[in-house]
């Protein structure tokens, strides 16, 4: 069967350079009157095809435009409730994917709405260049009451929509929100003031110079489109773009992954009597899909986008489908050969998929070539060394991780556990000296690791160093005081030390309090009592051991 051709976009595009420098709209973005049945039907067709348009005369939007002024918003909210405030950084406002703004280049904070509005009264032009936003449940309620659901707006695959989200946006001066895309379909409604919008289709992503894939603002262009440097970003100047203007009551219906750069400006004529200061106001409605739904559509609409491959790789890994995870991560490495985490996760998945260490070696080597100080990759190399019993090399690598990142969680917690367990395995095979060396290495990685002290004590007991073994058990108990078996083992060691019978009795008794059915602890208490010349006590303990485990302790040894 011949492949279905993608529908040609019904727009007359211009270049980015022209779209940003001109004050006139480009032709082709339909402005559809939703009071007309014919145009409403066309709007639904465009929405299903993933094509943007401007919706006019939507009853809900006209109502909101009349009702929702700054005074109404202020009055409808607790005056002390905080809004997120971004302050102008000289290069447009930036989208930031991290909750607290970490790693982003704007001044982001929270502030009570009342305080923000009052601070604008006597503010300078530069001080008024703020961009405030908050999630509006009132807007969500109005949306649902008017439309019922996202399906009523022609939302494709509406069954995958998890919720409606509304973000209210407020500003007090002409400002820009920099070029970015969203993973959900978006309805951008101008309530007060004007919004000048430049759009780029998803296919133009590679020409818009997005931030690195692991940057908090990975969905945003690095270019300051208020003053673009085309010498530094040459492909951007000729990228296909559209320009349009939204007046109050008009809404841009924007499919996911369409890039948009928005300049908002105040409109004094739209102010009600006595309202101050001048402001602009807008709301974004999102029909929020599940993450899996977002990524599935993104994979189809933006083949250049590495995020779907990373998402599905992580999902498969978390479901223990390691072969499938490796396939997705390999796809990510083809899209972004310079992304260390994609190579690292490929290696990690291959090792978990039945120990495919030979295949895992190359992607891990690539990850470390790209990022020689990448703690997770060094940690993974140590794991591969452990898998082939190269413990000395593994310990050397793990110490390097600790130097690079002292709080690296897998190295601090998980790997000491593995080393301690491998030490236990060496001990069981008769290699007491090798076991002790490996376990001490685990303790150097994490001196607070209870199981390492436990296994070290066992190794020392086998080698006959009972005093040091007892200290190791006490160290384990200080970290894990609720472990009945640690008390049992400590008591068993103390019973063999000169002058240790009383402490042995205390430790063994404690183990029976924590684990009343531990027959061996009662048996050892009987032996301690016998050695302490307490025959009646010994007899009672032996009887208890026999009642709990008659096969093993039916006839106490004399």
């Amino acid at each position: 069967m011949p492949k279905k051709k993608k529908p040609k976009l019904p727009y007359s595009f211009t270049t980015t350079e022209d779209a940003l420098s001109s004050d006139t709209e480009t032709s082709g973005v339909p402005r559809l009157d939703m009071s007309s049945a014919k145009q409403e039907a066309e709007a639904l067709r465009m929405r299903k095809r993933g094509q943007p348009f401007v919706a006019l005369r939507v009853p809900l939007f006209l109502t909101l435009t009349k009702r929702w002024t700054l005074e109404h918003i202020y009055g409808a909210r607790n005056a002390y409730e905080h809004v997120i405030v971004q302050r102008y950084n000289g290069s447009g406002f930036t989208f930031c994917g991290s909750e607290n703004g970490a790693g982003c280049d704007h001044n982001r904070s929270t502030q009570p709405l009342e305080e923000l509005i009052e601070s604008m009264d006597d503010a300078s032009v530069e001080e008024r260049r703020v961009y405030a936003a908050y999630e509006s449940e009132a807007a969500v309620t109005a949306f649902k009451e008017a439309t019922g659901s996202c399906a009523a707006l022609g939302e494709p695959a509406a069954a995958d929509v998890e919720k409606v989200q509304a973000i209210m946006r407020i500003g007090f001066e002409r400002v820009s929100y920099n070029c970015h895309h969203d993973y959900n379909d978006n309805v951008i409604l101008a309530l007060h003031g004007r919004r000048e919008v430049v759009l780029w289709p998803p296919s133009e992503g590679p020409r818009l110079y997005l931030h690195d894939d692991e940057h908090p603002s990975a969905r945003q262009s690095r270019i300051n489109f208020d003053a673009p440097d085309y010498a530094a970003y040459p492909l951007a100047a000729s990228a296909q773009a559209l320009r349009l203007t939204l007046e109050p009551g008009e809404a841009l219906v924007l499919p996911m992954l369409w890039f948009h750069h928005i300049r908002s400006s105040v409109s004094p004529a739209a102010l009600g009597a006595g309202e101050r200061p001048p402001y602009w106001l807008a709301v974004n409605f999102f029909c929020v899909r599940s993450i899996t739904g977002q990524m599935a559509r993104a994979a189809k609409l933006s083949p250049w986008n590495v995020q779907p491959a990373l998402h599905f790789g992580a999902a498969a890994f978390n479901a223990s489908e390691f072969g499938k995870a490796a396939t997705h991560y390999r796809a990510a490495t083809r899209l972004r050969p310079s992304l260390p985490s994609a190579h690292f996760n490929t290696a990690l998945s291959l090792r978990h998929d039945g120990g495919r260490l030979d295949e895992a070696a190359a992607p891990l080597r690539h990850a470390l070539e790209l990022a020689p100080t990448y703690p997770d990759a060094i940690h993974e190399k140590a794991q591969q060394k452990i898998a082939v019993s190269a413990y000395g090399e593994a310990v050397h690598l793990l110490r390097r991780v600790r130097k690079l990142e002292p709080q690296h969680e897998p190295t601090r917690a998980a790997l000491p556990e593995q080393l301690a367990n491998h030490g236990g395995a060496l001990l069981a095979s008769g290699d007491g000296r090798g076991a002790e060396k490996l376990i001490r290495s685990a303790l150097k990685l994490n001196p607070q690791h209870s199981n390492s002290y436990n296994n070290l004590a066992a190794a020392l007991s086998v080698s006959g160093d009972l005093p040091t073994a007892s200290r190791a058990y006490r160290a384990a108990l200080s970290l894990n005081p609720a472990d009945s078996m640690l008390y049992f083992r400590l008591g068993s060691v103390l019973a063999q030390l000169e002058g240790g019978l009383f402490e042995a009795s205390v430790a063994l008794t404690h183990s029976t309090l924590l684990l009343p059915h531990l027959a061996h602890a009662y048996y050892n208490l009987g032996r301690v009592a016998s050695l302490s010349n307490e025959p009646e006590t010994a007899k009672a303990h032996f009887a208890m051991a026999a009642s709990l485990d008659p096969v093993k302790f039916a006839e106490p040894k004399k």
Side-chain angles (χ1 to χ4, degrees):
M1 286 182 64
K3 288 186 177 180
K4 292 178 70 175
K5 290 185 178 180
K6 291 183 179 179
K8 186 177 179 180
L9 294 175
Y11 309 113
S12 297
F13 287 98
T14 186
T15 64
T16 299
E17 190 169 11
D18 287 344
L20 290 170
S21 60
S22 172
D23 288 331
T24 58
E25 292 194 14
T26 53
S27 61
V29 179
R31 303 178 71 85
L32 301 177
D33 184 344
M34 303 302 281
S35 65
S36 161
K38 183 177 180 180
Q39 293 196 29
E40 183 181 23
E42 176 60 19
L44 292 177
R45 284 192 291 270
M46 293 193 73
R47 193 153 170 80
K48 289 176 180 177
R49 291 196 296 260
Q51 298 169 349
F53 61 92
V54 176
L56 308 175
R57 301 187 68 181
V58 177
L60 167 66
F61 297 162
L62 294 176
T63 300
L64 295 182
T65 303
K66 290 178 181 178
R67 182 192 308 164
W68 284 6
T69 63
L70 185 61
E71 292 296 323
H72 172 80
I73 297 297
Y74 175 73
R77 287 171 56 82
N78 185 321
Y80 294 99
E81 190 166 351
H82 282 58
V83 294
I84 296 173
V85 180
Q86 299 179 32
R87 301 193 181 279
Y88 190 62
N89 63 0
S91 61
F93 288 92
T94 58
F95 167 81
C96 183
S98 62
E99 288 294 323
N100 61 2
C104 302
D105 59 357
H106 57 63
N107 183 353
R108 178 188 177 110
S109 62
T110 59
Q111 188 175 5
L113 180 62
E114 176 187 43
E115 181 181 300
L116 174 65
I117 294 172
E118 289 179 354
S119 71
M120 294 294 109
D121 286 342
D122 301 315
S124 67
V125 171
E126 287 304 314
E127 289 171 338
R128 289 200 302 271
R129 290 184 182 234
V130 300
Y131 197 105
Y134 67 90
E135 228 175 303
S136 173
E137 289 302 321
V140 171
T141 300
F143 180 90
K144 289 181 175 179
E145 288 176 351
T147 66
S149 70
C150 290
L153 298 180
E155 172 72 10
D160 191 43
V161 172
E162 292 187 335
K163 66 175 182 177
V164 177
Q165 183 184 45
I167 306 295
M168 191 69 68
R169 306 186 189 278
I170 308 168
F172 303 91
E173 187 52 69
R174 180 182 172 90
V175 294
S176 297
Y177 203 71
N178 219 7
C179 169
H180 68 284
H181 73 76
D182 297 300
Y183 280 114
N184 291 293
D185 287 8
N186 185 359
V187 178
I188 303 171
L189 170 62
L191 294 169
H192 292 276
R194 173 179 292 178
R195 309 204 91 193
E196 299 162 28
V197 186
V198 177
L199 300 177
W200 296 264
S203 59
E204 296 301 277
R207 300 158 73 93
L208 295 177
Y209 298 89
L210 304 187
H211 283 287
D212 294 337
D213 295 290
E214 294 179 329
H215 190 279
S217 298
R219 295 194 271 124
Q220 179 178 298
S221 171
R222 287 176 280 167
I223 304 169
N224 171 15
F225 280 109
D226 281 345
D229 183 352
Y230 294 124
Y233 307 106
L235 296 178
S238 58
Q240 292 189 102
L242 300 168
R243 181 190 177 92
L244 60 98
T245 300
L246 295 178
E247 300 291 353
E250 298 179 346
L252 171 63
V253 180
L254 187 64
M256 67 178 291
L257 292 168
W258 274 75
F259 293 89
H260 45 292
H261 177 81
I262 301 178
R263 292 172 181 163
S264 302
S265 54
V266 301
S267 179
L271 297 175
E275 288 187 328
R276 59 183 176 83
Y279 66 95
W280 58 262
L281 187 64
V283 63
N284 290 62
F285 293 102
F286 295 97
C287 291
V288 181
R289 285 182 170 79
S290 66
I291 295 295
T292 297
Q294 294 174 27
M295 293 298 110
R297 289 190 71 200
K300 295 178 181 178
L301 296 173
S302 54
W304 50 266
N305 192 336
V306 74
Q307 295 302 325
L310 295 175
H311 167 79
F312 288 115
F317 189 93
N318 291 335
S320 299
E321 297 175 333
F322 302 118
K324 186 184 291 186
T327 299
H328 286 298
Y329 283 126
R330 276 177 166 157
T333 65
R334 289 191 291 271
L335 286 169
R336 296 289 189 280
S338 61
L339 187 61
S341 64
H343 294 283
F344 155 70
N345 280 303
T346 302
L348 182 69
S349 301
L350 289 169
R351 179 173 62 81
H352 279 81
D353 188 33
R356 295 160 64 183
L357 297 181
D358 290 342
E359 292 178 73
L364 185 59
R365 184 173 63 252
H366 288 319
L368 287 168
E369 287 170 354
L370 292 165
T373 59
Y374 185 6
D376 285 347
I378 300 171
H379 166 275
E380 176 58 21
K381 189 172 182 179
Q383 286 276 31
Q384 293 189 7
K385 294 298 182 183
I386 288 173
V388 295
S389 301
Y391 299 119
E393 292 178 74
V395 169
H396 173 74
L397 290 165
L398 295 173
R399 286 175 179 165
R400 187 174 170 217
V401 175
R402 287 299 300 272
K403 287 182 180 179
L404 290 169
E405 189 177 324
Q407 297 305 313
H408 188 255
E409 185 60 24
T411 303
R412 191 183 66 81
L415 272 174
E417 180 74 20
Q418 288 183 314
L419 290 175
N421 290 339
H422 279 292
L426 286 175
L427 182 63
S429 68
D431 185 2
R433 181 170 294 181
E436 182 181 341
K437 184 178 179 180
L438 189 59
I439 295 164
R440 289 190 184 278
S441 296
L443 283 168
K444 286 181 180 179
L445 288 169
N446 184 2
Q448 305 299 310
H449 193 246
S450 173
N451 193 35
S452 293
Y453 285 108
N454 173 56
N455 285 356
L456 176 62
L460 291 166
S461 298
V462 169
S463 66
D465 188 354
L466 298 181
T468 308
S470 69
R471 289 194 291 273
Y473 278 130
R474 292 185 196 276
L477 278 167
S478 71
L479 297 167
N480 189 9
D483 190 328
S484 61
M485 294 307 297
L486 286 176
Y487 283 104
F488 166 72
R489 292 168 190 143
L490 173 62
S492 300
V493 167
L494 289 171
Q496 301 174 64
L497 294 175
E498 185 177 349
L501 292 179
F502 175 74
E503 287 186 280
S505 178
V506 171
L508 290 166
T509 300
H510 205 130
S511 73
T512 63
L513 294 175
L514 291 170
L515 191 62
H517 301 294
L518 186 57
H520 209 147
Y522 287 105
Y523 179 80
N524 282 4
L525 276 169
R527 296 194 61 173
V528 168
S530 294
L531 293 170
S532 301
N533 296 316
E534 298 175 2
E536 293 303 318
T537 303
K539 184 178 180 180
H541 286 312
F542 285 137
M544 177 62 77
S547 69
L548 292 170
D549 189 346
V551 174
K552 189 172 185 179
F553 299 114
E555 293 293 333
K557 297 178 181 179
K558 300 293 184 182

